Amino acid sequence: MTPRLRLSPEAVGTGMTSQRVRDRLVERLREAGIGDERVLNAVRVVPRHLFIDEALASRAYEDTALPIGHGQTISQPWVVARMTEAVLQVGPKTVLEVGTGSGYQAAILAALGLEVFTVERIGDLLRLARKRLRQLGMNVRSRHDDGRIGWAEHGPYDGIVVTAAAPALVDALIEQLAVGGRLVAPVGGPGGQALLQLTRGADGGIVQEELAPVSFVPLLSGLLD
Ligand code: SAH
C-alpha cells in the first residue's frame, strides 16, 4: 500500500512545507484520535501545500480548513483523515467523492491505492484539481457535474465520501452504495452539522451512526464553469 507519488522538489517541500512540519501534523492527528496508520501515512506523503494557493502554503500543515477560491475550502486535515478512516474500515476498492474542491481528499484516497471517482460542480476548481493530481501521477477519474446524482455509471461504490453539507442525506447517493459499503457525509444546516456514517449490511439494510460535529460548505445544485 505504499503510495506511488511523483515527488518533484516542489512536492518534497522546504521550510514550512518540509517533512518535519508534515510529521508534526501527523502527530497532531494521532493525538486527536486518528489511529489508522495507513491514513496517517497518506497524510504524511501527500503534499497538501500543492493543493492550495502559494500565498497560503506556509499554513498548509496546520489542522485547519483554508480558502481555495469561489467561496470554497480545502477541508481540515482531521476531517479528511476521519472520513478516510471510516471508509477504509470496510475494506473498499472503489470510492466516489462528491465535491472535488482542491483535489486533496481525492489524493489521500488515491494514495491509499483506492480506485477514486470524484465529481465537482465548479469547473474552475475541477480543472485545477485535475492538473495537480496529474502532476503527482495520481490516477483519479473526475467529472464536472452535480454530485447529488452521484456517478451511476461506475457504481455501486464501496465507499462514498461527501465533502459538502446538505440538510438531509441524498437518496441517489445511498442507492449507489454497494452491499458492505460505507458512506460518510456531513448533514445539517447553518445551525450545525454532524458527520454521519452509513453502512449497508449484507441484507441491504442501512446502519447509521454519528461520528462528529463538523462544519462544511453547502452542497449546492447547478453547474458553474
Ligand atoms: N474534498 C474537497 C473539499 C472541497 S469543499 C477538498 O479536499 O479540497 C466542497 C466542494 O464541494 C466545493 O468545491 C464545492 O464546489 C463542491 N460542491 C458543492 N456542491 C456540489 C455538488 N452538488 N456537486 C459536486 N460538488 C459540489
Side-chain angles (χ1 to χ4, degrees):
M1 179 319 293
T2 311
R4 276 165 300 169
L5 287 187
R6 217 173 279 152
L7 289 182
S8 60
E10 192 197 16
V12 170
T14 54
M16 286 307 283
T17 61
S18 67
Q19 195 57 55
R20 191 173 48 85
V21 174
R22 296 187 209 184
D23 288 348
R24 222 182 286 148
L25 171 62
V26 169
E27 284 321 306
R28 215 192 143 107
L29 297 180
R30 198 194 297 280
E31 285 161 19
I34 304 299
D36 190 320
E37 291 300 328
R38 299 168 296 177
V39 175
L40 293 170
N41 194 43
V43 172
R44 190 175 285 118
V45 298
V46 174
R48 189 168 184 257
H49 65 279
L50 297 189
F51 290 85
I52 54 180
D53 194 87
E54 249 177 273
L56 287 170
S58 67
R59 302 190 56 197
Y61 298 97
E62 292 176 15
D63 189 19
T64 175
L66 293 166
I68 55 171
H70 299 270
Q72 307 304 317
T73 54
I74 182 173
S75 305
Q76 180 192 349
W78 183 85
V79 171
V80 172
R82 188 67 192 88
M83 292 199 290
T84 305
E85 189 172 66
V87 159
L88 269 193
Q89 280 165 1
V90 301
K93 286 199 177 68
T94 60
V95 178
L96 172 69
E97 179 195 28
V98 176
T100 315
S102 67
Y104 179 68
Q105 169 79 72
I108 292 284
L109 294 166
L112 287 157
L114 301 173
E115 193 179 344
V116 184
F117 300 85
T118 183
V119 184
E120 169 59 55
R121 65 181 280 273
I122 302 178
D124 257 353
L125 290 179
L126 185 59
R127 278 187 290 277
L128 202 51
R130 277 177 177 155
K131 191 169 147 217
R132 290 163 174 151
L133 291 164
R134 204 178 325 118
Q135 281 169 350
L136 286 167
M138 294 191 131
N139 186 19
V140 169
R141 300 176 70 179
S142 62
R143 180 181 170 90
H144 184 208
D145 207 347
D146 183 342
R148 294 179 310 167
I149 59 168
W151 192 349
E153 189 188 343
H154 299 288
Y157 303 92
D158 305 319
I160 300 182
V161 175
V162 184
T163 69
L169 285 162
V170 180
D171 285 340
L173 294 176
I174 299 175
E175 280 163 24
Q176 287 172 35
L177 189 62
V179 168
R182 180 168 281 175
L183 175 152
V184 281
V187 173
Q193 303 164 9
L195 186 62
L196 298 186
Q197 161 179 299
L198 267 67
T199 313
R200 190 186 291 285
D203 61 356
I206 298 274
V207 175
Q208 182 177 317
E209 288 155 86
E210 210 174 297
L211 299 182
V214 285
S215 177
F216 278 83
V217 295
L219 191 67
L220 300 172
S221 60
L223 298 190
L224 291 181
D225 284 347

